[in-house]
Amino acid sequence: MRKNLQVAARAVLAVAALAATGVAAQQKSAIEEIERYRAALGDGNPAELWEARGDALWKEKRGPKNASLEQCDLGLGPGVVRGAYTVLPKYFADTNKVEDLESRLVSCMVMLQGFTPEQAKKDPYGGPGKKVAMDALVAFVTSESRGLPMKVAGTHPKEVEAYELGRQIFFHRGGPYDFSCATCHGVNNQRIRLQDLPNLLNPRDAKKAYTAWPAYRVSQGEVRSFQWRLLDCFRQQRFPELEFVSPASVALTMFLAKNSNGGTFDAPSIKR
Amino acid sequence: MKTMKMIAIPAAVLALAGCATTPGPDELRTNAIAMMKASFKERGQAKLDRIDQDDMQRLCSEYVGEKVMPKEIAQSLEKAQQALIKYPADGKLLGDWKLGERIAQSGVGKQYSDDPKKPAGGNCYACHQLTKEEVSYGTIGPSLYNFAKVRGYGEQIQRYAYGKVYNSQAFSACSSMPRFGHAGILTEEQLRHVVALLMSPDSPVNK
């Protein structure tokens, strides 16, 4: 693993340099570079570093209550991490809300560790020189669902409502470009420039796309959560900034997660 | 009177059914929009009013999936959008195709991560093939290679091309293509350059 990661580090730099030029004509060679990089890694993925950090953070006593997250109920009961991501988003009686993984982690940090909601939500995404707890916790928890089938229930009235609202948001056209999610993800076998676009309304593509997030983004050198994926697609949609763990983000995640039921979860993955 | 009764009854039944179980379609739309309004924050040039919809955006968000837009609604939508097209006052529709090619290549514009002081691009290659030289093109829209060579170089086609790029909805309701002129993404001058890229006999589009 160690040697793999050294190879990885070098490949990451090479690919990042390529990606940074952003020239469309180089997209293809960047994709080839990533294929080479994947091969060099074998089974390794730099996301493992985030997973290990998240595992430690999960057990670490933190916050005003000096407590760990080990008793956090992620949907399968307090302390059960294995398989939990496959049932999220889910309705939780203790918060009376439908929550995805990220919002549930915020709730546990508040309820168990005594952080204020503002503190728990303060650093949702890592960046250059900034490693955040959220990315690591997300990588750790999701890695514990690897190889398991997605089975989001979506049967509680609040879950049904979230799914329907998520569907509305998926088709909501707006902004100066008139885009909705469906503009880029509603038709089979389309691409934007050379980038393949999954049709998230088609079960085959929906399963493949949803089960591949979170992902280690080679071009960014970061593990990116599903919340981040939505944030960045709304940016490309020319919408304002999606707030972290906002109701719309959770509803949209409910729509996409439930549509991926039956797919085998296989993340954190690795993406360009 | 008789027809009124026939319409009134199912509506009442629907409204009742809506109350008893899940919210009806209108309530769901209203709730989804309220939820979105509470879930975004403005950043740079991307203000919260980008969530608001005009008639076209509202109708085209409603008729999706199995719900096919009735022909009359599609036609009246196209007509309303046609009325919004502003052709250049001097009648000049063609600019410089070389500048048009640059605009077609550029994907920047209107994102909160873009500098609002810099001109936006048309990002045509994101969705269309245009020339043989550029192989990095998307397939959301049809290939425009040989656009004028196939359709002709005349004034009428020029006007169609200008109108189409200005307001795609005027010619096909609920198209995925942005309304570059109507939405103020491209200026009149930029539109002329792009139209020249499509229409000029010297343009690589028509080689």
Side-chain angles (χ1 to χ4, degrees):
Chain A
M1 153 132 182
R2 224 217 158 93
K3 181 160 165 272
N4 274 345
L5 285 175
Q6 271 169 12
V7 176
R10 251 176 289 134
V12 168
L13 284 177
V15 180
L18 252 180
T21 62
V23 179
Q26 294 189 350
Q27 240 173 358
K28 195 135 212 172
S29 58
I31 292 165
E32 283 160 9
E33 195 66 30
I34 288 172
E35 288 311 320
R36 265 205 293 284
Y37 164 55
R38 278 202 185 117
L41 278 174
D43 289 334
N45 177 341
E48 286 168 21
L49 296 175
W50 275 253
E51 292 167 28
R53 198 156 53 82
D55 189 2
L57 273 168
W58 182 257
K59 293 171 184 139
E60 189 183 319
K61 292 192 169 70
R62 297 168 71 228
K65 292 190 184 167
N66 195 35
S68 79
L69 287 169
E70 286 164 301
Q71 285 309 304
C72 177
D73 178 358
L74 293 168
L76 296 177
V80 182
V81 182
R82 178 85 184 141
Y85 194 64
T86 65
V87 302
L88 292 170
K90 189 182 180 305
Y91 171 77
F92 288 89
D94 56 11
T95 54
N96 192 27
K97 270 192 215 152
V98 174
E99 296 180 294
D100 65 345
L101 173 61
E102 289 88 326
S103 50
R104 188 61 190 164
L105 285 169
V106 166
S107 294
C108 283
M109 286 163 81
V110 171
M111 291 185 296
L112 298 175
Q113 298 182 311
F115 288 109
T116 64
E118 294 67 38
Q119 286 169 333
K121 287 190 261 188
K122 198 172 135 279
D123 288 311
Y125 313 114
K130 179 170 148 195
K131 295 279 169 257
V132 302
M134 187 53 72
D135 288 342
L137 288 167
V138 164
F140 163 61
V141 172
T142 55
S143 73
E144 290 285 310
S145 287
R146 205 186 287 281
L148 300 175
M150 288 301 301
K151 44 177 190 220
V152 176
T155 45
H156 185 281
K158 291 224 178 199
E159 294 169 353
V160 174
E161 189 192 14
Y163 181 90
E164 288 302 328
L165 289 167
R167 184 177 182 279
Q168 294 289 326
I169 295 167
F170 189 87
F171 286 111
H172 184 95
R173 295 186 70 166
Y177 280 49
D178 301 328
F179 286 165
S180 71
C181 308
T183 308
C184 293
H185 300 294
V187 179
N188 285 338
N189 303 318
Q190 280 189 336
R191 34 173 244 254
I192 193 160
R193 287 282 187 165
L194 290 178
Q195 177 76 48
D196 289 322
L197 294 166
N199 175 3
L200 297 173
L201 300 171
N202 164 332
R204 191 203 52 195
D205 283 14
K207 287 179 200 175
K208 194 164 164 241
Y210 190 79
T211 58
W213 285 83
Y216 176 80
R217 291 299 301 256
V218 176
S219 52
Q220 302 177 352
E222 293 289 340
V223 168
R224 295 306 193 190
S225 59
F226 201 70
Q227 282 276 332
W228 179 89
R229 180 67 269 167
L230 296 181
L231 169 87
D232 205 53
C233 275
F234 272 123
R235 179 183 63 82
Q236 295 178 66
Q237 203 170 307
R238 275 72 184 176
F239 274 39
E241 183 179 331
L242 181 70
E243 289 201 65
F244 183 61
V245 302
S246 57
S249 72
V250 176
L252 194 48
T253 302
M254 179 52 129
F255 178 67
L256 299 170
K258 187 154 193 259
N259 290 348
S260 80
N261 270 352
T264 303
F265 189 71
D266 191 24
S269 70
I270 188 158
K271 298 253 171 194
R272 84 180 166 88
Chain B
M1 187 61 216
K2 211 166 180 185
T3 44
M4 260 195 71
K5 223 173 175 177
M6 275 172 67
I7 293 164
I9 295 167
V13 171
L14 265 177
L16 265 176
C19 280
T21 53
T22 43
D26 288 347
E27 200 185 336
L28 195 60
R29 283 297 304 147
T30 311
N31 292 349
I33 290 167
M35 183 181 247
M36 292 180 87
K37 286 261 164 148
S39 297
F40 287 85
K41 59 179 177 227
E42 65 173 56
R43 180 162 163 190
Q45 58 179 309
K47 310 288 185 215
L48 282 180
D49 63 7
R50 290 193 177 184
I51 291 161
D52 297 333
Q53 294 176 309
D54 67 9
D55 287 347
M56 170 263 146
Q57 292 169 333
R58 187 174 47 76
L59 285 166
C60 295
S61 303
E62 191 184 330
Y63 291 96
V64 291
E66 306 90 74
K67 205 173 160 193
V68 180
M69 180 176 275
K71 241 201 180 116
E72 315 83 68
I73 298 187
Q75 277 166 358
S76 72
L77 194 157
E78 286 166 9
K79 227 173 133 195
Q81 296 293 314
Q82 254 158 39
L84 298 171
I85 300 177
K86 292 195 187 79
Y87 291 92
D90 61 4
K92 224 183 129 236
L93 299 169
L94 302 189
D96 175 346
W97 71 259
K98 290 198 184 87
L99 295 175
E101 164 69 11
R102 242 186 272 164
I103 294 163
Q105 287 281 1
S106 166
V108 302
K110 306 278 185 202
Q111 299 171 118
Y112 55 69
S113 50
D114 294 325
D115 179 352
K117 288 192 233 62
K118 295 211 176 108
N123 212 6
C124 317
Y125 283 107
C127 300
H128 295 286
Q129 179 185 33
L130 285 144
T131 62
K132 257 208 308 246
E133 291 72 29
E134 181 54 87
V135 295
S136 173
Y137 60 84
T139 58
I140 295 174
S143 173
L144 300 173
Y145 182 57
N146 283 351
F147 182 77
K149 199 172 174 184
V150 170
R151 304 198 169 212
Y153 296 96
E155 165 88 25
Q156 220 186 326
I157 311 290
Q158 286 178 19
R159 251 181 102 76
Y160 165 64
Y162 190 95
K164 178 73 195 176
V165 184
Y166 190 98
N167 190 335
S168 57
Q169 304 295 335
F171 305 90
S172 53
C174 303
S175 165
S176 291
M177 177 166 150
R179 294 171 288 180
F180 290 100
H182 174 69
I185 302 163
L186 298 178
T187 63
E188 186 174 283
E189 200 192 349
Q190 286 180 306
L191 289 168
R192 283 196 184 111
H193 296 325
V194 167
V195 173
L197 178 68
L198 293 173
M199 295 303 304
S200 165
D202 308 331
S203 160
V205 167
N206 298 312
K207 291 288 168 200

